[in-house]
Amino acid sequence: EDSYDGYPRYVEQNKNDGTPFGPSVRGAEIIYCRAIRSWIFTHPDILTTPPEEEENECSWLWKSSPTADYDLLSTTNDNWEAWIGEVKQLADISITCMECSRRSDCNYHGICENSECNCDETHFGDSCEFEMPCESLATEKAHTFDPVKGVQWKQGNPIINAGHLVYNRPLYIQEGSNGEPYDMRLYR
């Protein structure tokens, strides 16, 4: 369903491939709440109050300033509020359209086809905004000093790119001495 109460409905998609979640996972939504005349961010599995108490209007976690505007993007310069047991002003919120219409919408690192960015081999992300990650990483613990050769970098247990993205960020895994993964890292 693409609308809610006559307004567009935006549903969170899988971070790995942009498809809807499976039946066991429900995504967050941005919908218009007529009761408070605001756009809201909500999640069906996150309560705003303990189960025995009544939820706030539309169970919002974030809400825009009151508006009747049909266009969610018109609220990006408004003061949004967050519910954290009390109302808190959000310092910053960014809402953008994920559809492209020209190469510049893909940061000049891909081409726009059917309103979606098809990124070059060197970049990824919804708008080709990220450079492809390194295949492996080394930490400051991975270097030694050789008086003749200088600093030598060799990671005993390499930190390797797992080939998965989480929130458009590469996931790296470092294996322990027994071969089992013991450290997972996300980098910007």
Side-chain angles (χ1 to χ4, degrees), residues 3-142:
S3 66
Y4 177 86
D5 206 13
Y7 281 79
R9 175 177 172 245
Y10 303 92
V11 180
E12 179 183 22
Q13 303 293 301
N14 187 312
K15 298 337 179 245
N16 291 323
D17 58 13
T19 60
F21 290 109
S24 63
V25 177
R26 298 188 297 177
E29 296 181 337
I30 297 179
I31 58 174
Y32 186 80
C33 174
R34 287 188 188 272
I36 56 175
R37 296 184 53 242
S38 298
W39 284 95
I40 65 163
F41 172 84
T42 186
H43 193 287
D45 296 327
I46 300 175
L47 299 175
T48 58
T49 60
E52 65 276 0
E53 294 181 25
E54 188 175 329
E55 289 276 304
N56 66 31
E57 308 90 344
C58 301
S59 300
W60 63 269
L61 300 168
W62 297 352
K63 72 173 182 171
S64 71
S65 297
T67 182
D69 202 320
Y70 187 81
D71 184 7
L72 171 65
L73 297 179
S74 71
T75 68
T76 58
N77 293 325
D78 290 350
N79 293 321
W80 280 64
E81 296 174 333
W83 179 259
I84 54 170
E86 62 183 354
V87 177
K88 181 87 172 162
Q89 291 291 324
L90 284 176
D92 191 24
I93 186 166
S94 175
I95 300 172
T96 59
C97 183
M98 296 307 297
E99 293 179 352
C100 63
S101 60
R102 55 188 165 278
R103 184 167 165 76
S104 62
D105 294 337
C106 302
N107 290 294
Y108 297 100
H109 298 295
I111 56 172
C112 180
E113 295 178 327
N114 300 320
S115 299
E116 290 186 11
C117 289
N118 185 358
C119 302
D120 301 336
E121 291 180 5
T122 58
H123 286 78
F124 70 100
D126 294 323
S127 300
C128 306
E129 66 270 37
F130 303 114
E131 288 186 45
M132 289 302 281
C134 301
E135 289 301 313
S136 64
L137 304 174
T139 67
E140 68 279 355
K141 297 176 184 176

Side-chain angles (χ1 to χ4, degrees), residues 137-180:
L137 304 174
T139 67
E140 68 279 355
K141 297 176 184 176
H143 74 282
T144 58
F145 183 76
D146 181 294
V148 176
K149 297 179 181 177
V151 175
Q152 301 292 305
W153 289 91
K154 181 170 175 24
Q155 185 77 38
N157 295 326
I159 304 169
I160 57 171
N161 183 340
H164 296 287
L165 300 176
V166 178
Y167 294 101
N168 267 334
R169 301 290 189 253
L171 173 68
Y172 290 89
I173 297 177
Q174 186 175 27
E175 293 182 353
S177 57
N178 66 354
E180 293 290 320

